[in-house]
Amino acid sequence: MIPIRALRSSLFAAALLVAASAGLLAGCAPPLIAMGAAHVTMIAVDRRSTGAQLDDTAIEFKVESDAGTRWGTEIHLSVTSYNGNVLLSGEAPTPEIRAAIVEYTKKTDRVKSVYDELVVGPATDLSARTNDTYITSKVKARMIESETVKSLYVKVVTDRSVVYLMGIVSREQGDAAAKIAATTEGVARVVKLFEYTG
């Protein structure tokens, strides 16, 4: 098992390498500077610390890759971590596999809580997943237009037409985001998984 601290360093080094490569391939420094500025801006507006963002990336990668190695195409698993709070969505073929995935996630380093939204049944097909992606894009687009909701503060995940909302928000922002999602065409249900400020 790779320690989280080592993984953080590796992820940071990889990000720097990609950024540097982009600058070298372009043959000049400005793309590198622009890329760095955009990355810094995204980090600055995210209410999670940089360390928490790296931890979330590591959690998602570890759970998805380990579950994929163990069960392969038997499962359809989406792992979304926000500030150590992990949403598991998708499908598992049996209650036993579902329970094993949940238990494994709970024991993963840096995980604070687990929201088990896995469904026992066959994996959804490509058309259903494509529709989920489309719903997510519609919800995000409507949030960008909202004066109350800062879309960068809200993570939107859609699975089986159910929209899950995560992030660190005020109650007003959370309620506004949920209303936008609930009134978006194609959304079956909205689940709020927010951390509230204040």
Side-chain angles (χ1 to χ4, degrees), residues 148-149 169-177 196:
T148 306
V149 181
V169 297
S170 67
R171 292 200 177 269
E172 181 187 13
Q173 288 171 329
D175 290 344
Y196 291 106

Side-chain angles (χ1 to χ4, degrees), residues 73-102:
T73 56
E74 287 184 76
I75 62 169
H76 161 230
L77 175 64
S78 294
V79 182
T80 309
S81 183
Y82 195 96
N83 211 32
N85 302 302
V86 182
L87 166 65
L88 300 175
S89 59
E91 299 82 36
T94 67
E96 292 76 19
I97 290 177
R98 173 184 173 174
I101 293 170
V102 171

Side-chain angles (χ1 to χ4, degrees), residues 162-185:
V162 177
V163 173
Y164 302 93
L165 304 175
M166 304 178 80
I168 303 170
V169 297
S170 67
R171 292 200 177 269
E172 181 187 13
Q173 288 171 329
D175 290 344
K179 185 175 180 180
I180 288 169
T183 56
T184 300
E185 186 181 356

Side-chain angles (χ1 to χ4, degrees), residues 28-103:
C28 56
L32 175 59
I33 294 168
M35 190 179 213
H39 183 64
V40 169
T41 301
M42 289 301 291
I43 289 174
V45 297
D46 196 310
R47 287 178 171 166
R48 295 171 293 174
S49 68
T50 305
Q53 292 177 55
L54 289 171
D55 286 344
D56 286 334
T57 300
I59 289 166
E60 291 173 355
F61 177 78
K62 179 163 182 50
V63 174
E64 283 187 359
S65 61
D66 288 358
T69 298
R70 185 167 177 185
W71 291 290
T73 56
E74 287 184 76
I75 62 169
H76 161 230
L77 175 64
S78 294
V79 182
T80 309
S81 183
Y82 195 96
N83 211 32
N85 302 302
V86 182
L87 166 65
L88 300 175
S89 59
E91 299 82 36
T94 67
E96 292 76 19
I97 290 177
R98 173 184 173 174
I101 293 170
V102 171
E103 200 55 39

